[in-house]
Amino acid sequence: MKSKKSLAIVTLALVCSLALSACGGNGAPANASSATGTAVTADGKDADGNVVDTTAYSISLGAQWFTEEDLEIWEHIEDPSSNPDKIQIRYGNTSRSDDESAYGRCAKRFLIDIKKNLGDRVEIKKYYNGTLGTTADQILGGLQAGNFEVMTYNVGAWYEYTKAFTPFDMGFLIPDLAAGIALSEYDNPVAQAMKQKAIDDIGVYPIMMPPIGMRHITNNIRPINSLDDIKGLKLRVQSNNMHMSMFEALGASPTPIAFAELFTAMQQKTVDGQENPVQNIFEQNYAEVQKYMTLSNHLYTAGATAINYSWLKGLPEDVQEVIENAARAAQTQSGKDLLNCEADMMDYLKIHMEVNELSDEDLAKFREMAKTTWDMGKEVMGDEYYNKIIPLIESELAKLG
């Protein structure tokens, strides 16, 4: 049998190799070479230390969160169980793996800890690339129907099913990444209230809400330092009425475009720019087609790993406890992971783009204009939930200072 040390090295090399071969979009192609002809290493860098494959680099940033024991469990996590009373966990993700982001690695930690503590009492099967569904109807509906037990899916896509996460659509309500991570922590009252709202509305439990990040603006026209600079810019936004209304209030021209089509749209100048979290801007190589990045922190984006609540509550109490504890540990890891990743990714982006932050004075002006759209959030959520969740968020933010 291979030693744990050699197994860890082989596993990381395999993961990075798969990422390199799969990177057919805007990242460097498989077997990419530096200008000196030296092959790219497993961490996505050339011989001079330059990041030339963003996917492999993203994976390398997350390797530190998993021990050799973790990697061995992960390698065998889908091994069949001979236990006649085994509990089946079918886990799905719309992405191609759980290794390429802090958001994905949260689910990886969750599944590893469940397997580590329950052994052959559980049999885990993983499904990637949207095999279990790609739309809210397929994913949330599938969870409701018990077609599968666990799924990772962005909370923004829950909008038609529940308004639990609508506060995250209110511009400049969440001030920065540290605040977003704190509010989403497993035991935070805000996270608990959102989770309960989702359970009450649709019977689906977002057991984890890993951070994807604060959204920032990039464009190819000019730096954005004031409200005057954003006026008239044609910016791609998500197909979300609250997001569109906020950018209209700021003076921009919001344009919904599918995420998969965004790079080409910017390359062909269909839009001037876009807004996304740092890891998306980095991973999609938007620096190739965008000159300017403004750290606007205008919206916080969270993910969700969701469970059929009735299924969970039907499990033995000790199994429920293992699953809840695994979620708590994974949630905490995801926040630390993302903070670390963003710092390194920003170092790369600052080399390839002109990056600026809004002054306190201009940030206040942006927030004031965005706040004019908050009434829409109240209308969407309804008075009862709005009057509960917004004061709770404000109270928790005050504690953070």
Side-chain angles (χ1 to χ4, degrees):
M1 179 179 291
K2 295 177 184 176
S3 70
K4 290 185 177 180
K5 182 175 181 181
S6 63
L7 177 61
I9 294 172
V10 168
T11 302
L12 178 58
L14 175 61
V15 166
C16 291
S17 174
L18 288 172
L20 285 167
S21 64
C23 189
N26 306 314
N31 302 316
S33 300
S34 69
T36 59
T38 304
V40 176
T41 54
D43 63 358
K45 295 180 180 179
D46 64 15
D48 299 320
N50 301 308
V51 175
V52 293
D53 188 293
T54 54
T55 298
Y57 184 64
S58 296
I59 293 170
S60 74
L61 292 176
Q64 63 177 299
W65 302 104
F66 300 96
T67 66
E68 295 170 1
E69 179 187 9
D70 291 335
L71 293 176
E72 185 156 0
I73 291 172
W74 187 246
E75 184 179 5
H76 297 284
I77 203 161
E78 293 189 279
D79 287 357
S81 169
S82 59
N83 188 331
D85 299 317
K86 65 189 176 187
I87 298 165
Q88 185 179 49
I89 299 178
R90 292 165 292 183
Y91 164 75
N93 195 327
T94 56
S95 299
R96 61 189 174 191
S97 80
D98 284 312
D99 289 293
E100 297 175 29
S101 67
Y103 165 54
R105 290 187 290 269
C106 180
K108 181 176 179 178
R109 163 58 56 204
F110 176 61
L111 295 176
I112 287 173
D113 283 3
I114 289 174
K115 189 65 175 178
K116 183 184 296 186
N117 286 284
L118 294 178
D120 70 351
R121 291 182 69 187
V122 295
E123 183 174 276
I124 297 172
K125 294 297 179 184
K126 301 180 294 180
Y127 301 86
Y128 293 106
N129 291 312
T131 304
L132 298 180
T134 57
T135 67
D137 286 345
Q138 293 169 339
I139 293 169
L140 298 180
L143 284 167
Q144 286 177 314
N147 296 338
F148 41 87
E149 290 72 41
V150 185
M151 188 79 178
T152 291
Y153 200 45
N154 187 326
V155 299
W158 295 49
Y159 184 81
E160 295 299 326
Y161 275 73
T162 175
K163 309 308 179 190
F165 310 108
T166 301
F168 292 155
D169 293 323
M170 297 171 63
F172 295 93
L173 175 62
I174 312 301
D176 52 41
L177 181 58
I181 289 172
L183 295 179
S184 300
E185 270 293 349
Y186 184 87
D187 293 306
N188 187 277
V190 171
Q192 290 294 324
M194 289 181 170
K195 292 175 182 180
Q196 190 60 54
K197 173 69 171 169
I199 292 170
D200 292 343
D201 287 347
I202 60 174
V204 175
Y205 179 22
I207 193 168
M208 299 186 298
M209 296 166 54
I212 297 177
M214 298 301 296
R215 303 183 79 86
H216 306 289
I217 304 169
T218 70
N219 83 95
N220 208 31
I221 305 299
R222 55 182 173 267
I224 299 173
N225 291 294
S226 68
L227 285 172
D228 286 339
D229 295 326
I230 198 173
K231 285 181 180 178
L233 289 180
K234 193 172 184 180
L235 301 176
R236 178 270 179 182
V237 300
Q238 296 181 96
S239 184
N240 181 304
N241 288 338
M242 292 183 63
H243 295 191
M244 293 174 67
S245 294
M246 179 192 69
F247 276 101
E248 287 172 353
L250 294 176
S253 177
T255 306
I257 293 176
F259 183 71
E261 300 170 6
L262 179 52
F263 186 93
T264 301
M266 292 187 292
Q267 190 175 45
Q268 296 178 349
K269 304 189 186 306
T270 304
V271 291
D272 300 319
Q274 60 83 52
E275 51 86 47
N276 254 297
V278 168
Q279 62 181 340
N280 287 355
I281 294 170
F282 173 85
E283 179 62 32
Q284 297 299 316
N285 258 341
Y286 291 159
E288 289 188 6
V289 290
Q290 298 276 273
K291 294 180 182 178
Y292 307 106
M293 178 176 181
T294 300
L295 302 180
S296 50
N297 287 295
H298 55 275
L299 289 166
Y300 173 68
T301 298
T305 295
I307 289 182
N308 178 297
Y309 190 67
S310 295
W311 169 80
L312 177 66
K313 288 304 177 181
L315 297 174
E317 288 189 5
D318 66 318
V319 175
Q320 291 184 46
E321 184 177 359
V322 165
I323 291 174
E324 297 278 5
N325 286 338
R328 182 179 284 106
Q331 179 78 50
T332 298
Q333 174 189 290
S334 70
K336 296 176 180 178
D337 188 352
L338 182 59
L339 286 170
N340 175 72
C341 282
E342 281 214 349
D344 289 317
M345 290 174 181
M346 281 306 307
D347 287 342
Y348 170 87
L349 293 174
K350 287 176 180 177
I351 294 172
H352 298 276
M353 305 172 77
E354 182 179 319
V355 180
N356 72 286
E357 294 186 53
L358 295 172
S359 68
D360 291 343
E361 181 181 357
D362 282 297
L363 180 60
K365 292 178 181 177
F366 272 69
R367 189 175 190 273
E368 182 180 354
M369 293 304 298
K371 198 170 181 179
T372 63
T373 67
W374 284 13
D375 283 346
M376 182 182 294
K378 184 175 184 179
E379 183 179 344
V380 168
M381 285 184 272
D383 288 347
E384 182 179 354
Y385 185 55
Y386 181 92
N387 292 333
K388 174 183 180 179
I389 195 68
I390 298 304
L392 188 57
I393 289 173
E394 292 173 342
S395 173
E396 290 300 306
L397 289 177
K399 292 178 185 177
L400 297 176

